[in-house]
Every structure is written in C-alpha cells, then in structure tokens.
Amino acid sequence: PQGHEFSLSSSPNPFNPKTTVSFSLAQGGRVRLDVYNVKGQKVKTLVDGVRAAGPQTVDWDGTDDRGSAVATGVYFFKIWTKDGQLAKKSALVR
C-alpha cells in the first residue's frame, strides 16, 4: 500500500461562514483535532477518536463547543496523532 503523509490544512482561509479542515494520517489510530483562539484557549474539538490512514476532512462552522458563534479573528487548528502533532492558522472574518 502507498504511504500517506501526515498533514493539516484548511480552506478557504480566511473563511466565513465555514472552513474545511483537511488532514492526512500516515497511519490509522487515535486522532484529536482542536480549535484554539489566539489566547491559547480551546474553543472546539472537531475530532476525538480513531481514524483510518489517509486523507480526511471535517468542517468547522465558526462555533465553539457550546454552539455559540466565535468572534472574528485568528484561530489555530491543532492535531495530535501517534505520528506527532501539527498546527495551522486560519482567519475567521464575520
């Protein structure tokens, strides 16, 4: 089988009202993908579970874990897997 590269990105960036977060796993296993604000506070968990190797996507609609809309600004997507961790920046423009 062809190997996959561990990666993380989002599109469109900047975004409104939603962005698609794309990630690829080199190997299957437990994945956690969270959204943080510029103060380093977690605003939403997008993925928390076991995923297969390969490319995947999840949408973020600019809301926090309570379903409330977050403010315009810069946000960071951070992913943790057994392959390591990555972070990418995105801007929400309301």
Side-chain angles (χ1 to χ4, degrees):
Q2 181 170 349
H4 297 281
E5 184 178 329
F6 181 42
S7 64
L8 175 66
S9 63
S10 67
S11 178
N13 184 10
F15 70 97
N16 179 19
K18 75 173 185 169
T19 187
T20 298
V21 181
S22 302
F23 59 96
S24 185
L25 304 176
Q27 51 187 329
R30 186 157 181 82
V31 176
R32 177 140 184 154
L33 175 59
D34 293 325
V35 182
Y36 291 86
N37 63 22
V38 291
K39 296 177 183 175
Q41 300 163 318
K42 182 175 76 76
V43 296
K44 185 148 188 162
T45 297
L46 299 177
V47 177
D48 187 9
V50 175
R51 294 289 179 105
Q56 318 210 15
T57 61
V58 61
D59 290 335
W60 182 46
D61 61 0
T63 61
D64 63 17
D65 277 332
R66 296 182 307 274
S68 301
V70 299
T72 293
V74 174
Y75 292 86
F76 296 87
F77 299 106
K78 191 165 185 180
I79 189 169
W80 291 266
T81 73
K82 61 185 172 183
D83 298 320
Q85 61 184 18
L86 292 171
K88 293 291 180 180
K89 178 170 62 171
S90 188
L92 169 60
V93 179
R94 294 232 183 253

